[in-house]
Amino acid sequence: MQAIVIKELCRRAGDHRRVAAERRARMRMRLIESAMIVFAQRGIGVSVIPEVIAAAGVSQGSFYNYFRTNDDLLAAVSEALSRDMVQLIESVVGDIEDPALRVATGFRLYLHLARSYPVVAQFLSGTGLTLVGKKSAVYEYLPSDVKEGLKTGTFDEASADVALDMVAGAGVIAVHRMAQGKTTKDYPERIVRAVLRSLGVSASSATKLTSAPLPKLVVPPESLLEKAQERLAEMAEPSNLRA
């Protein structure tokens, strides 16, 4: 009998720890969603902690249980966003054998994702070169593809670092322009086509690579892209504006 009681107490304790961990994960993600929105609106040049606390609807003490500084927040948002975008893109391009087609398709998907989620484009535009080479999805996702393309002669003999910088630089500018709403429908394809040409791909091949139908991305409702867009809509509701 005593063994049964002990087992039940252990089970309850395990359930309690699991529930507490899930609650902490939800709170941390709420802060990340709010921080992404505030960074997108304000940039990274000023302290946004008070605004994030207000946007998330938490106490100052609760906030500091998770983050201490602007840099902590920025790193968390960048890591979560990069992870979500890389996983989404890799899920549909990972099996493409041709490195040039992988780069073209992945880069196009990245730009179209940014344009489909304005808060993402605004965040990436606001952070700009700050994240390049650190938490950038480009630097996490493209190195092996670019190196393979260089090795097989698909791309020219420019170093992998230069090739990556060219892709990342074009991505930063493209996302910034899309965040301003001043691009044509085929702007992502035109950017990717120009990048491919700069990597040594012929004009006809670059056009073919950027004309192929894009695979459909299914963005999970729990992803940062969806959650941040939902939070932005909530914050824009009249009741929240009056609060």
Side-chain angles (χ1 to χ4, degrees), residues 120-138:
V120 171
Q122 291 162 8
F123 172 78
L124 293 172
S125 174
T127 53
L129 293 173
T130 304
L131 301 181
V132 170
K134 298 177 182 178
K135 299 295 183 181
S136 168
V138 170

Side-chain angles (χ1 to χ4, degrees), residues 119-170:
V119 69
V120 171
Q122 291 162 8
F123 172 78
L124 293 172
S125 174
T127 53
L129 293 173
T130 304
L131 301 181
V132 170
K134 298 177 182 178
K135 299 295 183 181
S136 168
V138 170
Y139 277 80
E140 183 175 350
Y141 158 70
L142 282 177
S144 61
D145 296 338
V146 171
K147 288 179 181 178
E148 183 181 343
L150 292 168
K151 183 177 179 180
T152 60
T154 303
F155 303 140
D156 64 23
E157 294 183 359
S159 71
D161 287 344
V162 171
L164 285 172
D165 288 344
M166 292 166 64
V167 175

Side-chain angles (χ1 to χ4, degrees), residues 42-171:
R42 295 290 306 278
I44 60 174
V46 295
S47 175
V48 299
I49 290 175
E51 293 176 78
V52 172
I53 290 172
V58 302
S59 68
Q60 184 172 320
S62 294
F63 173 86
Y64 283 110
N65 284 330
Y66 298 87
F67 302 105
R68 289 291 175 183
T69 66
N70 261 25
D71 287 344
D72 289 343
L73 273 174
L74 182 60
V77 175
S78 302
E79 184 175 354
L81 179 61
S82 179
R83 181 185 63 246
D84 281 2
M85 294 184 79
V86 166
Q87 288 177 349
L88 276 169
I89 293 170
E90 276 292 291
S91 70
V92 296
V93 305
D95 294 332
I96 297 176
E97 294 185 4
D98 177 14
L101 182 57
R102 276 204 309 274
V103 169
T105 305
F107 197 10
R108 288 170 66 199
L109 287 170
Y110 176 82
L111 295 179
H112 279 286
L113 268 178
R115 185 153 66 179
S116 297
Y117 292 88
V119 69
V120 171
Q122 291 162 8
F123 172 78
L124 293 172
S125 174
T127 53
L129 293 173
T130 304
L131 301 181
V132 170
K134 298 177 182 178
K135 299 295 183 181
S136 168
V138 170
Y139 277 80
E140 183 175 350
Y141 158 70
L142 282 177
S144 61
D145 296 338
V146 171
K147 288 179 181 178
E148 183 181 343
L150 292 168
K151 183 177 179 180
T152 60
T154 303
F155 303 140
D156 64 23
E157 294 183 359
S159 71
D161 287 344
V162 171
L164 285 172
D165 288 344
M166 292 166 64
V167 175

